[in-house]
């Protein structure tokens, strides 16, 4: 139980948590705008990983390799996942916009099952080896005990992505429209915001983030299959609730807390109970702070 | 300017507007008074396209608008300050104002308009970086009206601007509305439960009951109308 071991676990948890955070952002953004838990979000992540797998496979066959392939695979995965997210909302959620809240939730679960089985039938139910596209950096050699080169790439990419997302939400026109819609959808329409388009944009952005997470995690674990979306989706959903669903910084915090707690629990107690720590933490937070860690930060006078 | 012809609006199977017809001429202040639940707010939301009417038609400058979406109707210059003010609670005062100008592209003119708002309401200028949700009711109402004006409307719809405010603030708000109408020639359609104050600044008025218009007259006539006095003025 030396401090070095602790630090090692902490780094591992941070890497895991940042991936959870990336997926959790999609949950929380969608929830913030249409109060829907998009249970098919994990499948979008899985599809992102699959597209990256196919693209990198094809490119490797043609003789390319390394970071260029990764970048290209990631870009195409993002475009595909965004298209899936956009279509998912149009087909599964938009027709149920005026329906009771339970209906789109059931539709979400249906979409999730459909997408898992669709990939399973169209591709394979087996685990597929994801190519090693991130080669070890020489300068990482002394730190490799704590953070591998892949982990470094994950941390850098997730940090940059989150900064980009913050800028997008804070300063761009679509970002302001998203915030306005989240805070008051009727008023958003009254100032001329096309709420349908904002909802589409939210699904596109959330799906793109999930695809990035999919490519990163596949590069780390080295294998994918059609069922990886389920657990990742549930974990990221837990992270979003942990941080306060609908709250964007909360999703990031929730992801990191979840990742670290899980890794520490697995490292010090038993790795067999990894998931127990994750969901136990969720129960604990929901009992002590039902709105989540950062839920309801700003009070509103009436 | 605005012609509402026999509109009927439903929430699910519940009919909120039975058949509402009214007209507003350029430059007027027209008020719509009536009890709680008479359908006043629904009338405004129907005009704005948020709850489109199932039957009937709405013409703006001769063009039908009742099939357009809410965001299209705003572009025509029809803006609403909804009941309860609907300030974006986590956005700053400045951001709230900028949202009012969401459809405008002329950045320099928007900035000038924002500065003008801060000149007219120094308290908003002082709180420009503060979250909208933390303002007092009166400040929020000033912000809500200013936000609507940032869209440079030709027809301003106001829903219960006096609701929940102290008497002194109410007086101020009505004075602001009168000024907006007089100075920038903005046509105003004012929905109010505070019939007395509303009729004092309005040119004409409509009385609404159970989803239908029951009375229409010049404002001063309505003020002296015995039935209106008894039902809405508490005299």
């Amino acid at each position: 139980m030396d401090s070095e071991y602790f630090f090692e676990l902490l780094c591992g948890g941070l890497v895991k948590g940042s991936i959870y955070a990336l997926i959790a952002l999609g949950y929380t953004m969608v929830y913030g705008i249409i109060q829907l838990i998009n249970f098919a979000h994990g499948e979008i992540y899985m599809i992102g990983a699959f597209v990256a797998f196919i693209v990198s496979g094809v490119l490797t066959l043609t003789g390319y390799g390394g970071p260029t392939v990764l970048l290209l695979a990631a870009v195409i995965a993002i475009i595909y996942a965004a298209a899936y997210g956009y279509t998912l909302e149009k087909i599964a959620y938009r027709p149920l916009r005026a329906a009771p809240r339970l209906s789109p939730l059931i539709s979400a679960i249906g979409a999730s099952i459909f997408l898992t089985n669709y990939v399973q039938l169209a591709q394979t139910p087996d685990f597929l080896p994801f190519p090693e596209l991130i080669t070890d950096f020489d300068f990482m050699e002394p730190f490799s005990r704590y953070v591998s080169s892949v982990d470094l790439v994950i941390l850098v990419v997730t940090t940059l992505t989150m900064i980009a997302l913050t800028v997008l939400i804070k300063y761009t026109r679509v970002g302001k429209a998203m915030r306005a819609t989240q805070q008051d959808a009727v008023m958003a329409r009254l100032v001329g915001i096309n709420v349908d388009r904002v909802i589409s944009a939210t699904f596109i952005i959330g799906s793109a983030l999930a695809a990035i997470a999919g490519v990163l995690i596949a590069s780390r674990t080295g294998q994918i299959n059609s069922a990886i979306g389920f657990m990742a989706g549930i974990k990221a959903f837990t992270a979003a609730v942990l941080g306060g669903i609908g709250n964007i910084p909360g999703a990031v915090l929730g992801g990191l807390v979840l990742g670290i707690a899980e890794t520490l629990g697995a490292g010090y107690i038993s790795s067999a109970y990894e998931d127990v720590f994750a969901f136990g933490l969720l129960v604990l937070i929901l009992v002590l702070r039902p709105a989540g860690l950062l839920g309801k930060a700003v009070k509103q006078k009436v | 300017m605005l012609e509402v012809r026999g509109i009927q609006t439903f929430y699910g199977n519940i009919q909120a507007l039975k058949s509402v017809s009214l007209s507003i001429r350029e430059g007027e202040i027209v008020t719509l008074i009536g009890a709680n639940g008479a359908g006043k707010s629904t009338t405004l939301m129907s005009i704005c396209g948020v709850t489109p009417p199932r039957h009937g038609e709405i013409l703006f400058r001769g063009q039908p608008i009742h099939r357009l979406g809410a965001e299209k109707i705003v572009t025509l210059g029809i803006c609403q300050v909804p009941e309860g003010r609907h300030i974006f609670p986590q956005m700053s005062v400045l951001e709230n104002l900028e949202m009012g100008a969401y459809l405008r592209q002329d950045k320099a003119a928007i900035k000038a308009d924002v500065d003008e708002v801060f000149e007219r309401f120094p308290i908003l200028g002082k709180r420009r970086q503060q979250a909208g949700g933390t303002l007092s009711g009166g400040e929020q109402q000033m912000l809500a009206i200013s936000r609507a004006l940032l869209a440079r409307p030709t027809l301003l719809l106001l829903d219960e601007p006096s609701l929940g405010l102290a008497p002194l603030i109410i007086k101020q708000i009505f004075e602001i509305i009168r000024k907006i109408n007089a100075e920038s020639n903005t046509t105003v359609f004012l929905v109010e439960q505070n019939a007395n104050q509303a009729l004092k600044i309005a040119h004409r008025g409509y009385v609404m009951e159970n989803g239908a218009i029951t009375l229409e007259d010049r404002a001063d006539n309505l003020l002296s109308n015995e039935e209106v006095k008894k039902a809405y003025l508490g005299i």
Side-chain angles (χ1 to χ4, degrees):
Chain A
M1 298 245 178
D2 54 328
S3 61
E4 225 169 88
Y5 182 57
F6 174 76
F7 195 65
E8 197 179 305
L9 290 176
L10 194 68
C11 288
L14 211 59
V15 171
K16 220 171 172 189
S18 61
I19 297 278
Y20 288 154
L22 220 45
I23 311 173
L25 282 167
Y27 275 108
T28 226
M29 282 163 65
V30 165
Y31 185 87
I33 291 203
I34 53 173
Q35 283 77 51
L36 166 76
I37 307 292
N38 176 16
F39 276 117
H41 189 58
E43 273 58 51
I44 299 287
Y45 148 92
M46 177 269 293
I47 286 171
F50 255 90
V51 171
F53 171 80
I54 294 165
V55 172
S56 57
V58 170
L59 285 177
T60 314
L61 276 182
T62 55
Y64 293 94
T68 343
V69 172
L70 181 72
L71 196 70
L72 210 62
V75 169
I76 295 173
I78 287 170
I79 294 170
Y80 254 86
Y84 267 98
Y86 172 83
T87 314
L88 174 71
E89 190 270 327
K90 275 237 148 130
I91 294 174
Y93 306 142
R94 186 160 299 185
L96 298 169
R97 191 81 55 76
R101 279 180 66 177
L102 197 57
S103 313
L105 205 64
I106 292 167
S107 182
I109 294 168
S112 164
I113 295 169
F114 171 79
L115 288 174
T116 309
N117 285 281
Y118 157 69
V119 173
Q120 194 176 329
L121 289 174
Q123 301 294 331
T124 166
D126 301 329
F127 270 99
L128 298 167
F130 198 83
E132 257 182 63
L133 296 170
I134 303 167
T135 41
D136 286 345
F137 308 120
D138 293 337
F139 66 88
M140 284 302 291
E141 189 60 41
F143 313 106
S144 59
R145 170 153 185 219
Y146 307 112
V147 186
S148 70
S149 297
V150 178
D151 292 349
L152 182 74
V153 171
I154 291 177
L155 288 175
V156 170
V157 170
T158 50
T159 308
L160 289 179
T161 308
M162 284 167 197
I163 292 171
L165 181 70
T166 309
V167 171
L168 179 104
I169 287 174
K170 191 105 184 78
Y171 299 109
T172 65
R173 199 174 143 83
V174 65
K176 284 180 184 177
M178 282 169 66
R179 277 192 292 152
T181 307
Q182 170 176 9
Q183 292 173 30
D184 195 324
V186 169
M187 195 60 225
R189 294 184 70 189
L190 288 175
V191 298
I193 292 169
N194 187 332
V195 171
D196 280 344
R197 257 194 243 166
V198 169
I199 294 170
S200 290
T202 307
F203 273 85
I204 287 171
I205 295 167
S207 303
L209 296 177
I212 295 173
V215 176
L216 291 175
I217 201 84
S219 307
R220 188 171 194 250
T221 57
Q223 56 174 11
I224 58 170
N225 83 346
S226 56
I228 58 169
F230 177 72
M231 203 28 133
I234 294 279
K235 287 281 176 65
F237 168 63
T238 305
V241 173
L242 201 61
I245 189 116
N247 183 309
I248 287 173
V252 177
L253 181 71
L256 294 179
V257 168
L258 187 73
I260 291 169
E262 224 181 68
T263 315
L264 289 182
Y268 283 121
I269 302 164
S270 163
S271 59
Y273 289 109
E274 199 179 54
D275 297 339
V276 175
F277 297 118
F279 300 128
L281 183 67
L282 176 72
V283 171
L284 200 68
I285 293 283
L286 285 181
V287 169
L288 298 177
R289 269 188 75 89
L293 292 171
L294 297 185
K296 297 255 185 302
V298 174
K299 283 203 184 97
Q300 192 190 353
K301 271 189 197 169
V302 183
Chain B
M1 186 180 207
L2 186 82
E3 277 283 330
V4 176
R5 292 185 187 157
I7 57 166
Q8 300 183 29
T9 303
F10 293 75
Y11 294 109
N13 289 323
I14 300 158
Q15 185 165 14
L17 300 183
K18 282 174 187 145
S19 176
V20 174
S21 299
L22 51 86
S23 70
I24 298 164
R25 291 189 285 268
E26 194 107 40
E28 276 187 316
I29 298 183
V30 176
T31 186
L32 177 63
I33 59 177
N36 233 343
K40 307 187 298 296
S41 298
T42 307
T43 306
L44 286 193
M45 287 299 182
S46 296
I47 294 171
C48 286
V50 174
T51 56
R54 200 176 286 179
H55 305 291
E57 52 181 12
I58 303 172
L59 305 177
F60 183 65
R61 299 190 198 280
Q63 299 295 318
I65 61 166
H66 51 279
R67 293 279 171 264
L68 301 179
E71 61 278 353
K72 267 275 163 344
I73 292 172
V74 183
T75 61
L76 302 173
I78 302 177
C79 291
Q80 189 190 160
V81 180
E83 182 182 342
R85 306 179 280 271
H86 284 255
I87 297 300
F88 297 117
Q90 276 121 294
M91 285 188 171
S92 69
V93 168
L94 184 63
E95 282 178 319
N96 265 284
L97 290 172
E98 285 168 353
M99 287 319 294
Y102 181 75
L103 293 170
R104 285 171 62 185
Q105 306 289 338
D106 45 343
K107 280 197 174 153
I110 293 172
K111 190 167 182 311
D113 285 3
V114 168
D115 289 341
E116 206 185 302
V117 168
F118 290 155
E119 234 165 81
R120 186 187 278 181
F121 305 114
I123 186 72
L124 293 183
K126 239 171 76 186
R127 302 195 191 288
R128 71 180 74 192
Q129 296 302 344
Q130 205 172 311
T134 64
L135 300 187
S136 74
E139 289 162 0
Q140 284 194 355
Q141 192 62 60
M142 289 174 198
L143 178 57
I145 295 174
S146 304
R147 178 179 58 190
L149 290 179
L150 264 155
R152 296 205 167 156
T154 49
L155 174 61
L156 181 65
L157 312 175
L158 293 153
D159 195 353
E160 307 258 10
S162 75
L163 193 75
L165 301 183
L168 204 68
I169 313 275
I170 293 180
K171 243 181 134 176
Q172 262 181 23
I173 296 285
F174 278 106
E175 183 53 29
I176 292 162
I177 295 166
R178 204 190 53 74
K179 264 194 185 157
I180 290 166
N181 173 253
E183 285 170 11
S184 54
N185 197 36
T186 308
T187 309
V188 174
F189 186 39
L190 172 64
V191 161
E192 259 300 342
Q193 279 197 66
N194 191 334
N196 192 21
Q197 292 273 6
L199 287 169
K200 272 184 190 153
I201 65 162
H203 302 107
R204 290 189 304 119
Y206 290 88
V207 178
M208 193 167 206
E209 257 173 58
N210 295 323
I213 302 282
T214 52
L215 209 58
E216 172 203 354
D217 209 334
R218 277 177 34 199
D220 47 351
N221 287 345
L222 286 176
L223 266 174
S224 54
N225 182 308
E226 285 306 320
E227 273 174 55
V228 174
K229 269 186 181 174
K230 228 168 64 193
Y232 303 107
L233 302 176
I235 305 169

